[in-house]
């Protein structure tokens, strides 16, 4: 059977979830143990980002993180002996700095009583 043994962001210190600043390089790394080798899928919210067949690891790079990269990433490993894929998830939080608010211009309404 295939088992996901490591799923991490290589360049970020983390505990249970990952927090990265906007415009940060993010390298997701997934490793699986199996014999024969695994088919590994890295996905985010059920959308496949990268697939590798007959391998023991998979790497996916986000060159500059943006708000849309925030979410739960999932690494799935399976081989010919698995009837059900082994899955490991990690939430990734992208921290976006506060942007200065633009000054709003309001038109004044003049109400007159006649």
């Amino acid at each position: 059977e295939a088992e996901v043994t490591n799923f991490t962001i290589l360049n970020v210190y983390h505990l249970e979830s990952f927090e990265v600043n906007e415009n940060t390089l993010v390298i997701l790394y997934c490793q699986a143990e199996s014999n024969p080798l695994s088919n590994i899928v890295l996905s985010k919210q059920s959308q496949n980002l990268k697939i590798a067949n007959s391998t023991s690891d998979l790497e996916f790079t986000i060159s500059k993180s943006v708000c849309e990269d925030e979410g739960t990433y999932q690494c799935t490993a399976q081989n010919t002996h698995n009837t059900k894929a082994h899955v490991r998830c990690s939430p990734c939080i992208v921290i976006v700095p506060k942007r200065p608010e633009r000054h709003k211009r309001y038109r004044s309404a003049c109400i007159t009583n006649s």
Side-chain angles (χ1 to χ4, degrees):
E1 285 191 15
E3 179 183 355
V4 176
T5 55
N6 185 20
F7 184 39
T8 190
I9 295 183
L10 291 178
N11 54 330
V12 176
Y13 175 77
H14 65 279
L15 296 171
E16 289 185 17
S17 65
F18 304 107
E19 292 185 359
V20 297
N21 291 319
E22 186 180 35
N23 296 316
T24 300
L25 172 70
V26 177
I27 303 169
L28 295 156
Y29 178 73
C30 180
Q31 188 173 28
E33 281 187 19
S34 65
N35 187 9
L37 292 171
S38 299
N39 297 327
I40 300 176
V41 178
L42 184 66
S43 57
K44 177 187 164 206
Q45 271 106 294
S46 302
Q47 181 180 1
N48 292 347
L49 301 173
K50 191 168 183 180
I51 300 170
N53 296 316
S54 297
T55 188
S56 61
D57 61 354
L58 177 64
E59 198 173 282
F60 179 77
T61 301
I62 299 168
S63 56
K64 283 188 170 187
S65 58
V66 293
C67 295
E68 291 78 14
D69 293 320
E70 185 170 319
T72 301
Y73 290 81
Q74 181 173 303
C75 177
T76 306
Q78 191 169 15
N79 68 12
T80 55
H81 297 298
N82 289 71
T83 55
K84 187 177 179 183
H86 187 260
V87 178
R88 211 161 174 184
C89 298
S90 287
C92 178
I93 300 165
V94 178
I95 300 169
V96 179
K98 289 186 178 180
R99 305 235 190 316
E101 290 186 32
R102 293 183 180 173
H103 297 288
K104 296 178 182 175
R105 294 183 182 174
Y106 297 99
R107 290 184 182 168
S108 59
C110 182
I111 300 173
T112 57
N113 294 329
S114 25

